[in-house]
Amino acid sequence: MDSNQMLEEIREINLGYMLLAQQLIREDKVAAMYRLGINQEVADILERLSSSQLIRMSASNMLLCRLRFDDASIAEMLSNHSRDQAVSQSHAAILMAGQPNEVVM
């Protein structure tokens, strides 16, 4: 994959993420904040973005979303294909919910 194609893929991911985030926030802000791992201030900003602002922000060459886990045990739980997948996913969700929200400045 060449760098232009990679940048285009990043922009597409950003746009999809931003559209989904804004939709989730408008439907249920508290649940969206939990699912996205964002705080009230970031949720308010995303909720107020116009379409043109959202597209402009999505055009960044950096991913605007990030994986919410940096712990191998959480990654293992989420990728586990055992019979107790629901329990593993619930446990991973509980662990991630206990982590502080990221604030990017």
Side-chain angles (χ1 to χ4, degrees):
M1 178 182 298
D2 68 11
S3 63
N4 287 336
Q5 184 180 3
M6 190 178 337
L7 290 174
E8 186 57 36
E9 295 287 335
I10 289 171
R11 290 181 188 115
E12 285 183 35
I13 290 169
N14 284 343
L15 182 57
Y17 176 77
M18 296 296 289
L19 289 169
L20 176 62
Q22 196 173 58
Q23 179 182 347
L24 289 172
I25 291 166
R26 288 180 176 164
E27 288 176 5
D28 185 345
K29 189 180 281 189
V30 174
M33 289 168 46
Y34 167 75
R35 286 192 172 111
L36 299 169
I38 59 175
N39 61 29
Q40 178 78 40
E41 186 178 15
V42 173
D44 291 342
I45 291 168
L46 292 175
E47 185 177 30
R48 290 191 306 260
L49 289 176
S50 68
S51 295
S52 62
Q53 289 172 314
L54 191 132
I55 291 169
R56 194 171 34 240
M57 191 172 177
S58 298
S60 171
N61 62 357
M62 295 182 299
L63 279 173
L64 300 178
C65 59
R66 70 172 194 82
L67 296 175
R68 288 191 49 205
F69 57 87
D70 54 4
D71 183 343
S73 63
I74 294 174
E76 187 65 34
M77 282 183 236
L78 291 172
S79 65
N80 188 359
H81 297 295
S82 69
R83 291 184 307 157
D84 295 331
Q85 185 176 9
V87 173
S88 293
Q89 288 180 347
S90 296
H91 188 213
I94 291 167
L95 290 174
M96 287 190 296
Q99 295 175 346
N101 290 330
E102 291 284 325
V103 178
V104 179
M105 296 285 179

